[in-house]
């Protein structure tokens, strides 16, 4: 707390404070903390943590609003690689929120957006950050795998097979 008082805009400290509140099961305080911390900040990791906590607390509508606000901020910023990666993380979380709130069609649609974004990231990473290619391929495969699992649950077996094949590539 003293460190935060000395430098209240330190994003690393803000993140650790939010995580500490969650680990001590002070979820209400953690949510209030996140709300205050992101009011005038464009800190996407804090917004991600807040949305993830809202999802775990089963407040899916709030989580979705938090994610949509974060995505709007990310899309308003430049189309740089870090922003695209952040958008992909948020879309993945949004798909998870939609799945948990019993909206599988929206979840699959969001995952399709995520997959397209991951392929754009993969193309850019090969040029800009060759050392991160493997990680990005794994993340893209994970999205395809999740799409396949959701297709199986909806009994869309042909689509599931297609997504599994994409995941293997």
């Amino acid at each position: 707390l003293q460190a935060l008082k000395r430098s209240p805009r330190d994003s690393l400290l803000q993140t650790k404070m939010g995580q500490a509140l969650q680990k001590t099961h002070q979820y209400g305080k953690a949510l209030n903390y996140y709300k205050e911390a992101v009011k005038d900040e464009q800190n996407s990791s804090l917004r991600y943590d807040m949305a993830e906590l809202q999802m775990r607390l089963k407040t899916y509508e709030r989580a979705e609003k938090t994610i949509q606000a974060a995505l709007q901020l990310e899309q308003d910023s430049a189309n740089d690689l870090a922003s695209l990666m952040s958008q992909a993380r948020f879309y993945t979380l949004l798909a998870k929120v939609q799945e948990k709130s019993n909206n599988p069609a929206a979840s699959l649609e969001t995952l399709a957006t995520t997959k397209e974004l991951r392929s754009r990231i993969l193309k850019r990473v090969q040029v800009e950050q060759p050392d991160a290619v493997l990680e990005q391929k794994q993340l893209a495969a994970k999205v395809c795998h999740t799409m396949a699992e959701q297709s199986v649950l909806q009994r869309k077996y042909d689509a599931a097979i297609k997504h599994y094949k994409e995941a293997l590539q």
Side-chain angles (χ1 to χ4, degrees), residues 17-36:
M17 182 65 181
Q19 290 171 348
L21 288 169
Q22 286 186 56
K23 285 183 182 176
T24 57
H25 303 284
Q26 298 178 43
Y27 303 120
K29 282 185 180 181
L31 281 174
N32 289 334
Y33 175 77
Y34 285 134
K35 285 176 189 169
E36 287 300 314

Side-chain angles (χ1 to χ4, degrees), residues 44-90:
S44 66
S45 69
L46 285 177
R47 289 180 193 280
Y48 186 89
D49 290 348
M50 184 168 120
E52 198 172 44
L53 177 58
Q54 289 168 328
M55 180 188 70
R56 283 199 313 248
L57 295 175
K58 295 181 169 77
T59 54
Y60 301 122
E61 283 183 33
R62 287 183 184 168
E64 201 164 325
K65 284 179 185 174
T66 301
I67 294 168
Q68 294 293 357
L71 283 169
Q72 190 61 47
L73 285 172
E74 287 294 334
Q75 289 169 351
D76 289 345
S77 66
N79 216 13
D80 65 336
L81 191 56
S83 178
L84 290 175
M85 287 178 179
S86 181
Q87 287 177 43
R89 278 185 69 211
F90 278 111

Side-chain angles (χ1 to χ4, degrees), residues 94-153:
L94 179 60
K96 198 180 295 184
V97 168
Q98 291 167 332
E99 179 187 358
K100 288 182 180 284
S101 64
N102 291 323
N103 194 350
S107 180
L108 259 177
E109 195 175 305
T110 302
L111 283 169
T113 303
T114 308
K115 185 176 91 171
E116 186 270 327
L117 197 55
R118 286 278 175 211
S119 69
R120 284 178 42 206
I121 291 169
L122 194 55
K123 287 175 186 169
R124 287 190 55 185
V125 162
Q126 290 173 346
V127 175
E128 296 175 32
Q129 297 177 0
D131 54 323
V133 170
L134 181 62
E135 178 189 2
Q136 291 304 318
K137 281 184 178 181
Q138 290 171 341
L139 289 169
K142 195 173 184 180
V143 170
C144 292
H145 184 260
T146 304
M147 289 177 79
E149 288 178 335
Q150 286 193 11
S151 295
V152 168
L153 291 174

